[in-house]
Amino acid sequence: MPYTAPTDEHLHLLRSVLDFDRVSSTEKFADAGDDMVAAILSEAAKLAQDVLAPLQRPGDLEPAHLENGVVRTAPGYAAGYKAIAEGGWVGAAAGPEHGGMGLPLTITTLVGEMMSSACLSLSLNPLMTQGQIEAIEAHGSDDIKALYLPKLISGEWSGTMNLTEPQAGSDVGALRSKAVDNGDGTYAISGQKIFISWGDHDFGGNVCHLVLARLPDGVPGTKGISLFIVPKFIPDAEGNLGDPNSLRVVSLEHKLGLHGSPTAIMEFDGATGWMVGPPNGGMAAMFTMMNNARLGVGTQGLGVAEAAYQKALEFALDRKQGKTPVDGGTGTIADHADVRRMLLTMKAQVAVARAIIMDTAISTDLANATGDASFKTRAALLTPIAKAFGTDTGSDVADLGIQVHGGMGFIEETGATQYARDVRVTRIYEGTNGIQAMDLVGRKLMDGGAAAFALIDEIDATAKNAPALKAAADTLRETTTTLLAADMNARFAGATNYLRAFAITLGGHYLTRGATDANRIALNAFYTAHFLPQVAALCVSATAGDALLYALDTDALAG
């Protein structure tokens, strides 16, 4: 289905809203000047539009399947992956010393958005590999780096992340997978993992699994977990593939969406693995993957939202029904007030989600380039907001897209439903959005709210001539103070609404800064009238405490 990469919006954000020059002026990212960034985004747009977008529908209709122990991927996926790898996109953010481009996370995130818009199922494959590259760069031994990084960065090999087990779910510390020292620098890894995105494929090369497991003397909980790299084929020192390892795909999950992406149940039966990082340091190493993966998942939600909006807009500008209510209109349903309301709501949410995600990426780049702890703290605060609001936006916009289509939206052939089905899981994996919200009001407020108040101060500076934004910022500040005085379960009760209030307020900040022409001024006015008033109500709920949640006991819930 047609997709047009919104590179003009990307460049507007970088130049006029978020001051990307701060990143390109650092020594680390000095090559990422305006011309180079525009050229990179242009090339990524061609890949997304011309190569990946045509694979979106076939992957849904002819999904990946398991055939005699081999995962067979959807038609065209192998060629699409080859184009991604040969373009250097898998290792775009990786260090040049092992063949990567060394691009800022900001730019690779925009590339990720385009790829997610075009074909989310296939784009999940390089995203997993990119997370593995980052973990090995940060925690791998020199030997592991030398062997694995060039292959992963080139896309010749791919990577996965194996955390979840049937009995553990989000409680990673309850895992049962075990690792036994073989006495030769390797470990025997045994256990079962579920929900493994791209656990296998037929693209060739090796599939390298990062697996969390417990040593025999590992203490209970997360502190006793170690991380291991366990390849599908055991390579020699030069990276040539040897014997198959003792692991297999037990089955592929039957899912609501993302049919083109094989989600595997993996079985490890004494498989040979190598430790990544120190003993019992697995969670620290895995969080290296997970933090940026959370930003990546928020970007997936954004990508699907952009694509769903484009499809809904295309339909609305073509569909004629009823008398147009405005003079000089299009003569289509886009003239009708409620349809126009939905389209503007979609457009505004996409713009805000993109700005939050890009602000998070820029803060991360500045932290990496300068070593300034304040940027690291800022990125950490924004990450749960970016993940949760980005994926909520994906689901909200995809759902509105169906509504814009009317009855045709409920028909599979239209293609609108696929966006809603594909994006729904993004609100769940890499930490559910409820977990993101609890992280925001819990761990991220452990500094006494200093990081949150600093961000609210930035919003205040933008709101000097924007009374509605100023009111929202004041309410958010008061709510943050109230939550800091509450016990943790009361915070958790209001966490989701607090996160959304924070995101909406940030949205007013970005749209006000970016209102540089008539259309953007009009969009900001719509957002000010229809979104910013929600902050007050959300904050009332966020500070209501937890007592009302338990007023009905479990028997009454069933009654």
Side-chain angles (χ1 to χ4, degrees):
M1 53 189 67
Y3 161 71
T4 301
T7 52
D8 286 346
E9 290 300 313
H10 295 163
L11 293 172
H12 171 73
L13 260 181
L14 297 179
R15 294 167 177 166
S16 302
V17 181
L18 299 175
D19 191 12
F20 179 73
D21 284 348
R22 293 175 297 161
V23 176
S24 58
S25 65
T26 65
E27 182 180 355
K28 183 177 180 67
F29 298 120
D31 291 337
D34 197 64
D35 290 344
M36 177 176 284
V37 168
I40 289 170
L41 295 182
S42 176
E43 288 303 308
K46 293 174 186 175
L47 172 74
Q49 293 166 177
D50 302 338
V51 178
L52 303 184
L55 303 176
Q56 165 82 348
R57 194 66 179 141
D60 193 53
L61 297 175
E62 299 183 61
H65 61 281
L66 190 62
E67 182 180 282
N68 298 322
V70 177
V71 173
R72 304 296 184 190
T73 55
Y77 270 41
Y81 176 78
K82 183 179 180 182
I84 294 171
E86 290 183 347
W89 300 111
V90 178
E97 58 270 26
H98 291 104
M101 292 187 195
L103 293 178
L105 177 64
T106 305
I107 305 309
T108 60
T109 297
L110 289 175
V111 173
E113 179 202 324
M114 289 186 264
M115 291 174 61
S116 296
S117 291
C119 184
L120 180 57
S121 285
L122 180 55
S123 72
L124 284 172
N125 184 302
L127 180 69
M128 295 292 101
T129 304
Q130 287 159 359
Q132 188 169 115
I133 290 168
E134 187 179 17
I136 292 174
E137 283 182 330
H139 301 283
S141 67
D142 289 343
D143 287 344
I144 286 177
K145 289 178 183 177
L147 177 58
Y148 284 89
L149 285 179
K151 300 287 189 179
L152 292 168
I153 288 170
S154 70
E156 182 179 346
W157 294 358
S158 62
T160 73
M161 178 165 40
N162 288 244
L163 287 77
T164 309
E165 297 184 5
Q167 79 291 341
S170 296
D171 183 10
V172 178
L175 66 79
R176 296 173 184 165
S177 294
K178 61 183 181 180
V180 178
D181 193 341
N182 289 326
D184 60 358
T186 69
Y187 293 80
I189 312 299
S190 299
Q192 188 177 94
K193 300 288 184 176
I194 62 172
F195 304 154
I196 310 306
S197 297
W198 284 94
D200 196 17
H201 54 72
D202 54 1
F203 298 163
N206 212 349
V207 182
C208 308
H209 303 281
L210 277 182
V211 184
L212 288 178
R214 200 182 305 278
L215 296 168
D217 59 353
V219 299
T222 57
K223 293 182 179 179
I225 296 173
S226 302
L227 182 66
F228 303 86
I229 190 160
V230 187
K232 178 180 178 180
F233 297 101
I234 299 174
D236 64 19
E238 285 72 45
N240 300 306
L241 300 186
D243 295 333
N245 212 339
S246 299
L247 57 87
R248 68 187 181 99
V249 178
V250 176
S251 64
L252 298 182
E253 303 286 4
H254 299 280
K255 301 172 296 185
L256 175 68
L258 290 179
H259 295 151
S261 170
T263 302
I265 298 175
M266 298 296 304
E267 183 78 34
F268 300 88
D269 185 14
T272 301
W274 288 260
M275 188 177 291
V276 177
N280 304 318
M283 286 306 295
M286 188 60 80
F287 266 111
T288 300
M289 288 181 69
M290 289 178 66
N291 282 332
N292 278 359
R294 286 172 175 171
L295 180 62
V297 172
T299 304
Q300 291 171 17
L302 165 63
V304 173
E306 172 66 37
Y309 169 65
Q310 288 189 21
K311 184 161 189 61
L313 179 62
E314 179 185 41
F315 180 85
L317 291 173
D318 181 69
R319 174 70 166 165
K320 294 181 179 179
Q321 186 173 349
K323 183 179 179 180
T324 183
V326 292
D327 293 332
T330 65
T332 67
I333 63 170
D335 292 340
H336 295 289
D338 193 58
V339 174
R340 187 63 67 95
R341 174 194 62 82
M342 289 189 285
L343 292 172
L344 281 170
T345 297
M346 296 165 81
K347 185 175 180 64
Q349 281 191 252
V350 169
V352 169
R354 181 178 289 124
I356 292 173
I357 286 165
M358 296 314 301
D359 199 355
T360 309
I362 285 175
S363 299
T364 302
D365 283 331
L366 288 170
N368 292 335
T370 68
D372 187 332
S374 66
F375 288 122
K376 183 176 181 181
T377 301
R378 193 175 191 279
L381 177 72
L382 284 168
T383 294
I385 302 174
K387 192 278 182 181
F389 190 75
T391 58
D392 283 347
T393 293
S395 284
D396 292 347
V397 170
D399 182 68
L400 276 175
I402 294 172
Q403 194 72 14
V404 169
H405 280 79
M408 293 304 297
F410 201 65
I411 305 301
E412 282 288 350
E413 286 78 4
T414 307
T417 59
Q418 185 181 345
Y419 292 122
R421 289 187 288 102
D422 284 353
V423 79
R424 184 59 184 84
V425 72
T426 62
R427 300 169 82 175
I428 297 171
Y429 59 30
E430 297 303 334
T432 67
N433 287 0
I435 288 174
Q436 305 304 317
M438 289 189 289
D439 177 48
L440 178 63
V441 301
R443 187 177 293 110
K444 299 305 189 297
L445 293 185
M446 287 176 65
D447 61 355
F453 291 135
L455 195 51
I456 295 169
D457 287 343
E458 291 183 32
I459 299 170
D460 265 339
T462 301
K464 289 179 180 178
N465 297 309
L469 179 58
K470 173 62 175 170
D474 288 346
T475 301
L476 187 64
R477 187 186 298 277
E478 181 181 346
T479 300
T480 304
T481 301
T482 301
L483 289 176
L484 285 167
D487 66 45
M488 196 56 71
N489 205 52
R491 290 191 201 182
F492 288 167
T496 292
N497 284 332
Y498 175 71
L499 185 150
R500 188 165 185 85
F502 215 134
I504 290 173
T505 307
L506 281 168
H509 166 60
Y510 300 124
L511 291 182
T512 299
R513 285 175 59 90
T516 56
D517 57 52
N519 287 332
R520 291 187 170 95
I521 290 171
L523 183 64
N524 183 42
F526 171 83
Y527 188 87
T528 298
H530 292 274
F531 279 83
L532 287 181
Q534 299 173 26
V535 172
L538 287 165
C539 286
V540 169
S541 178
T543 54
D546 58 339
L548 292 175
L549 300 181
Y550 302 97
L552 287 178
D553 60 26
T554 52
D555 289 337
L557 286 173

